[in-house]
Amino acid sequence: QVQLVESGGGLVRAGDSLRLSCAASGGTFRPYAMGWVRQAPGKEREIVAHIAWSGSSTWYSDSVKGRFIISKNNAKNTVFLQMNSLKPEDTAVYFCAADVDLGAEYDYWGQGTQVTVSS
């Protein structure tokens, strides 16, 4: 059973940077893609970044494009989210997720890590 564990969240000020990590463990982990999804209080989940596991294709939501960078280390089954120029509206729980069957939704999710950006 695949497990995803996020780390790196915290409380920062607007304009600061933060780096999230997500480590996968358990079984043979060969996803098609990984993503970072956030959910703010009272709002729907939003996919903010997505990366293909093979190759380096990435996608970003308009809300974070130019500020966030998703990257990965295939050998260590780890994906990262570098968040720069953080804004109060980036405050949310950030989840790591994995797509293992090219389906419409992610198949595995981490427990989430809180990111709070003060103004």
Side-chain angles (χ1 to χ4, degrees):
Q1 182 72 12
V2 173
Q3 290 185 325
L4 305 177
V5 179
E6 303 98 336
S7 60
L11 171 62
V12 297
R13 295 181 178 179
D16 284 351
S17 297
L18 207 56
R19 189 190 196 211
L20 305 183
S21 300
C22 172
S25 63
T28 301
F29 186 67
R30 292 195 181 94
Y32 286 98
M34 298 286 292
W36 286 96
V37 181
R38 69 185 181 187
Q39 186 164 25
K43 295 187 177 181
E44 294 186 355
R45 283 187 174 182
E46 175 192 15
I47 300 172
V48 296
H50 183 88
I51 187 167
W53 201 246
S54 177
S56 58
S57 177
T58 58
W59 175 91
Y60 298 93
S61 68
D62 288 342
S63 60
V64 308
K65 195 175 297 181
R67 299 187 298 121
F68 290 11
I69 301 171
I70 188 170
S71 62
K72 60 188 173 69
N73 183 325
N74 293 54
K76 295 185 177 181
N77 288 339
T78 304
V79 65
F80 307 95
L81 186 67
Q82 177 66 42
M83 305 186 292
N84 302 318
S85 302
L86 283 162
K87 304 175 181 180
E89 51 263 43
D90 294 319
T91 295
V93 177
Y94 284 72
F95 299 89
C96 169
D99 174 12
V100 300
D101 60 5
L102 287 179
E105 298 180 352
Y106 291 112
D107 305 290
Y108 295 100
W109 293 80
Q111 82 288 350
T113 185
Q114 176 71 46
V115 172
T116 303
V117 185
S118 64
S119 58

